[in-house]
Amino acid sequence: MYKILLVGAGQIGSRYLEGLAKLNINFELIVIEPNLDSLNTAKSRWTSACIEGRNYNIKWSNRVQPQKYEMDLAIISTSSVERCNIVKNVSETFSPKFWIMEKLLAQSKKEIDLIIKATDKSHGAWVNIPRRLDTWHKRIASEFNFKGPIKVIKTGGLWGMACNSIHLIDLVCWWTGEKILSIDTDKLDKNWIKSKREGYFEITGEMIAKFSNGSSLILRSNENFDYEFIKVYLRDNKEIVINENEGFLISPNGKKSNGSLQLQSELTAPLIKKLILENNCELPTLNISAQQHSVFINSMLKHWNVSQKLADSKVPIT
C-alpha cells in the first residue's frame, strides 16, 4: 500500500483531498493541519468527495509526530512563510521518496536553497505550477510554435501579481524552453496592499521579465482594470489572445476557440497516480522552479525593501 502525506489542509490542501478521494489505487493517507477550523473544513470536503464503496485509510493530525515513518509521497501545501522549516521537518521524520510543493516555494533565496538541500536524497521533487498539466494549455502548447523569442503580456485588475506571477514565468519557460534571467520592478507601485491572508502583501503596477533567448514577459496589474487577458506575440508578430477567466483563445487568423482551466481537484488523482506508478510527472522539477523562484523572489524582496525603506531578509508574499 502506498503511503501519502499531506501537510497543510487549508484552501489548496483541501482541494488536494478532493482529488485524492478519486485516486483508484490503494493508499494510506496522513493529513497534518494545525488550524482546527481548516482541519474540520478539510474533513468535510473529504467526506463529500469520498466514493461510496471504496475503503479509505486516512489519519488526521494537527502536528508532525516525532516517530520515524517512511512515505512514498509528501505534498506540502502550506503557506510560504512556513514551508522551509516544514520541509526540513518532514524530510527528517518521513524521508519521502517524492515531493510535491505548492508555490510560492519560500520568501527568500536562502530558504529556497535550504529546501533543495532538505530534499536532495529523495527520488524526485516537483512544484505545483499546474498549467503544464492542464488539458487546455497542453493543447495550446502543441498547436502553436512558441520557439523564442516571443513577447507575452499579462494584463488584469487585482489578479494577485505577487502571488501568481510565478505561473506566468513558468508558462513562458515551458513554452519556449528558456530560463528567466531578470525581472525589472522599476514600474511597480510603491504601495503594497494587504492580502486577504494575514501577514502577506500584494502589489500592483508593471514588471518586465527577460529570458535566455530573448523572450520577454510583461506583467501588469491595475485596480481600475476589469478585463484580464494574456497576449502572445510570436516570432512572426502573429498575435494570440488567451482569456483564462472567460475560457477562450483567439488565434492569429481571428478564429475563436473555447477552453477552461482544470481545477486542482481534477488534476490531483492523475498527477499522483502517474508519479507513484511511473516515478515521474509533468510538473516543473524543484530545481527548474527554484531557479525561476529565486529570480522572482530576489526582485520582489529588493522592491519591498526599497519601497518600504527596510532591510528585510524575506519578502512577505505567498
Side-chain angles (χ1 to χ4, degrees):
M1 181 177 288
Y2 297 103
K3 297 178 176 64
I4 300 173
L5 172 71
L6 174 65
V7 184
Q11 188 63 29
I12 296 295
S14 61
R15 300 308 178 190
Y16 273 106
L17 280 171
E18 290 176 335
L20 283 164
K22 303 172 187 175
L23 189 59
N24 61 350
I25 58 176
N26 291 326
F27 67 95
E28 176 185 340
L29 177 62
I30 297 176
V31 180
I32 299 174
E33 171 52 61
N35 183 282
L36 183 59
D37 289 338
S38 295
L39 191 63
N40 288 332
T41 298
K43 287 180 179 180
S44 176
R45 286 180 175 169
W46 171 259
T47 300
S48 298
C50 284
I51 297 172
E52 187 175 352
R54 183 176 295 177
N55 292 322
Y56 296 96
N57 187 345
I58 183 168
K59 299 176 182 177
W60 306 88
S61 179
N62 62 359
R63 63 188 176 92
V64 175
Q65 301 296 330
Q67 69 266 27
K68 298 285 184 178
Y69 194 85
E70 290 191 1
M71 306 298 292
D72 292 290
L73 171 64
I75 302 169
I76 311 298
S77 60
T78 61
S79 58
S80 61
V81 71
E82 308 163 297
R83 188 162 293 116
C84 180
N85 288 333
I86 287 173
V87 169
K88 288 192 291 183
N89 195 357
V90 167
S91 179
E92 292 167 0
T93 306
F94 296 101
S95 302
K97 291 180 182 177
F98 301 107
W99 299 78
I100 294 175
M101 300 180 205
E102 276 299 312
K103 61 82 195 164
L104 290 166
L105 275 175
Q107 297 184 336
S108 70
K109 172 68 163 59
K110 180 180 179 181
E111 289 180 322
I112 292 170
D113 291 340
L114 289 172
I115 288 173
I116 293 173
K117 184 177 180 181
T119 59
D120 63 0
K121 293 181 181 179
S122 69
H123 295 186
W126 293 265
V127 181
N128 188 34
I129 312 288
R131 281 170 179 78
R132 296 188 186 220
L133 302 178
D134 181 74
T135 300
W136 185 32
H137 268 286
K138 287 201 283 189
R139 190 169 75 241
I140 293 171
S142 65
E143 184 175 346
F144 299 99
N145 180 11
F146 289 112
K147 185 177 180 181
I150 64 173
K151 181 179 180 180
V152 181
I153 302 174
K154 160 76 174 186
T155 303
L158 299 177
W159 55 270
M161 180 181 278
C163 176
N164 293 313
S165 288
I166 196 67
H167 287 291
L168 283 303
I169 292 168
D170 182 71
L171 188 61
V172 175
C173 291
W174 175 44
W175 278 345
T176 64
E178 299 176 43
K179 290 184 177 181
I180 186 169
L181 298 179
S182 64
I183 299 177
D184 184 343
T185 60
D186 287 348
K187 293 183 179 180
L188 282 180
D189 296 332
K190 298 294 188 292
N191 294 325
W192 291 70
I193 305 165
K194 287 186 177 181
S195 171
K196 294 178 181 178
R197 302 183 70 175
E198 187 176 354
Y200 299 103
F201 290 82
E202 269 299 339
I203 192 68
T204 53
E206 179 179 297
M207 292 190 288
I208 303 174
K210 298 294 185 182
F211 296 81
S212 57
N213 194 38
S215 293
S216 63
L217 170 65
I218 300 173
L219 299 163
R220 294 172 179 151
S221 174
N222 187 315
E223 63 178 344
N224 297 317
F225 202 88
D226 58 3
Y227 188 71
E228 192 170 321
F229 59 85
I230 300 169
K231 284 188 176 180
V232 184
Y233 297 92
L234 303 176
R235 286 202 304 173
D236 53 9
N237 289 322
K238 290 181 178 178
E239 179 184 303
I240 301 167
V241 178
I242 303 171
N243 187 316
E244 293 182 329
N245 287 348
E246 297 185 22
F248 66 82
L249 177 148
I250 301 176
S251 299
N253 62 7
K255 182 181 178 181
K256 186 176 180 179
S257 60
N258 296 323
S260 62
L261 293 176
Q262 291 173 277
L263 300 174
Q264 184 61 56
S265 56
E266 297 172 317
L267 295 169
T268 297
L271 164 65
I272 292 177
K273 185 174 182 179
K274 179 179 175 66
L275 180 53
I276 286 177
L277 298 183
E278 300 179 22
N279 298 342
N280 205 348
C281 75
E282 296 172 293
L283 292 173
T285 64
L286 175 59
N287 285 334
I288 287 173
S289 194
Q291 189 272 333
Q292 300 168 5
H293 272 80
S294 295
V295 174
F296 177 67
I297 292 296
N298 281 342
S299 300
M300 296 301 286
L301 177 59
K302 179 180 178 182
H303 180 69
W304 169 261
N305 281 330
V306 169
S307 62
Q308 303 302 300
K309 296 181 173 58
L310 297 170
D312 289 347
S313 61
K314 300 180 184 180
V315 58
I317 58 178
T318 192

